[in-house]
């Protein structure tokens, strides 16, 4: 499946390092604090792609999460409309230091059920032969950090000499961490670094909501 899927390249002027994806993500769809209307079309287009494929890895992920959690698990919603979850990303040359927090990127009222905690989920469909580690720092964003912003991420100076937790992936591994912490990816060598990625949010009524 991976060899036949055509991934879309990210805009190098914005993302600085080459990367590609299949499916829309919420943090790339923000226009004046709202969701770009084109997001829903992209959601439907990707849903149609998976609907025609027998290789969709998302149902298996959803089934495992539902089996492990005693309350509801399902897509996050905005005005009753389900958000897309389960983006495919190819990141071979690493990323800048960044953090992901939907409550910082959008008004808290955007989601029908705002999360009180957030985690990033990454299933490795293909892992590099060497490198490609996920780095996570014990440090969250503060308003002062904006002076270090560089496009979608931040200068490496923002984490100073702090030592991150480094996790080396293997194909089939899942890495889950608090996406609100600063994190980055090191460049990989050899095989492609391809993940199925989404966010999980825990709501006040103990449901788990998913989005990308």
């Amino acid at each position: 499946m991976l060899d036949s899927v055509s991934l879309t390249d990210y805009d190098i002027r914005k993302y600085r390092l080459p990367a590609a994806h299949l499916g829309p993500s919420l943090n790339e769809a923000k226009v004046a604090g709202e969701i770009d209307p084109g997001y829903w079309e992209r959601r439907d287009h990707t849903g149609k792609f998976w609907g025609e494929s027998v290789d969709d890895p998302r149902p298996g992920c959803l089934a495992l999460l539902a089996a492990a959690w005693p309350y509801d698990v399902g897509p996050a919603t905005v005005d009753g409309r389900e958000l897309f979850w389960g983006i495919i990303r190819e990141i071979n040359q690493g990323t800048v230091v960044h953090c992901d927090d939907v409550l910082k990127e959008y008004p808290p009222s955007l989601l029908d059920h705002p999360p009180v905690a957030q985690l990033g989920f990454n299933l490795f469909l293909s892992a590099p032969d060497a490198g490609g580690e996920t780095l996570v720092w014990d440090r969250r964003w503060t308003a002062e950090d904006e002076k270090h912003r560089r496009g979608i991420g931040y200068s490496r100076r923002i984490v100073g000499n702090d030592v991150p937790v480094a996790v080396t992936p293997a194909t089939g591994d899942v890495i889950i961490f608090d996406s609100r912490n600063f994190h980055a990816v090191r460049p990989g060598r050899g095989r492609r670094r391809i993940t199925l990625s989404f966010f999980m949010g825990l709501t006040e009524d103990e449901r788990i909501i998913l989005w990308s």
Side-chain angles (χ1 to χ4, degrees):
M1 185 266 287
L2 294 177
D3 290 335
S4 62
V5 170
S6 177
L7 303 180
T8 301
D9 291 335
Y10 283 111
D11 185 344
I12 193 66
R13 295 169 298 179
K14 182 178 180 182
Y15 286 86
R16 298 176 61 190
L17 293 167
H21 68 102
L22 171 68
S25 63
L26 200 58
N27 60 9
E28 295 155 12
K30 185 170 66 173
V31 176
E34 302 288 339
I35 298 178
D36 169 15
Y39 167 87
W40 303 105
E41 182 180 345
R42 296 191 292 274
R43 178 203 65 172
D44 293 344
H45 175 78
T46 309
K48 183 175 183 294
F49 168 83
W50 284 126
E52 296 171 350
S53 170
V54 297
D55 296 313
D56 186 351
R58 297 177 303 161
C61 291
L62 185 59
L64 289 172
L65 290 172
W69 189 250
Y71 306 101
D72 288 345
V73 180
T77 58
V78 173
D79 295 330
R81 304 174 76 180
E82 292 186 354
L83 295 176
F84 173 78
W85 68 278
I87 192 171
I88 301 291
R89 280 206 174 102
E90 180 169 1
I91 300 175
N92 299 318
Q93 298 189 37
T95 70
V96 297
V97 175
H98 62 288
C99 57
D100 300 288
D101 183 349
V102 70
L103 299 182
K104 180 168 70 73
E105 295 157 1
Y106 284 92
S109 59
L110 174 79
L111 299 181
D112 294 338
H113 302 277
V116 296
Q118 299 174 55
L119 296 171
F121 180 107
N122 294 276
L123 166 63
F124 284 81
L125 305 178
S126 175
D129 298 310
E133 297 92 342
T134 297
L135 309 176
V136 183
W137 284 268
D138 187 18
R139 166 108 153 67
R140 288 191 183 174
W141 176 90
T142 66
E144 288 244 332
D145 293 331
E146 284 307 289
K147 63 186 178 184
H148 296 291
R149 178 172 283 280
R150 302 291 184 272
I152 66 159
Y154 296 84
S155 164
R156 190 62 175 259
R157 290 194 298 272
I158 202 167
V159 292
N161 295 320
D162 292 352
V163 178
V165 172
V167 182
T168 303
T171 300
D173 282 351
V174 171
I175 296 177
I176 299 174
F177 62 92
D178 192 325
S179 60
R180 296 168 295 182
N181 284 28
F182 284 108
H183 54 279
V185 173
R186 283 178 178 153
R189 299 185 298 279
R191 286 179 298 177
R192 301 157 69 190
R193 185 188 190 279
I194 303 177
T195 61
L196 172 80
S197 300
F198 55 90
F199 298 105
M200 302 188 296
L202 174 65
T203 67
E204 286 188 347
D205 58 356
E206 298 185 299
R207 73 180 67 195
I208 289 180
I209 56 173
L210 313 176
W211 71 95
S212 285

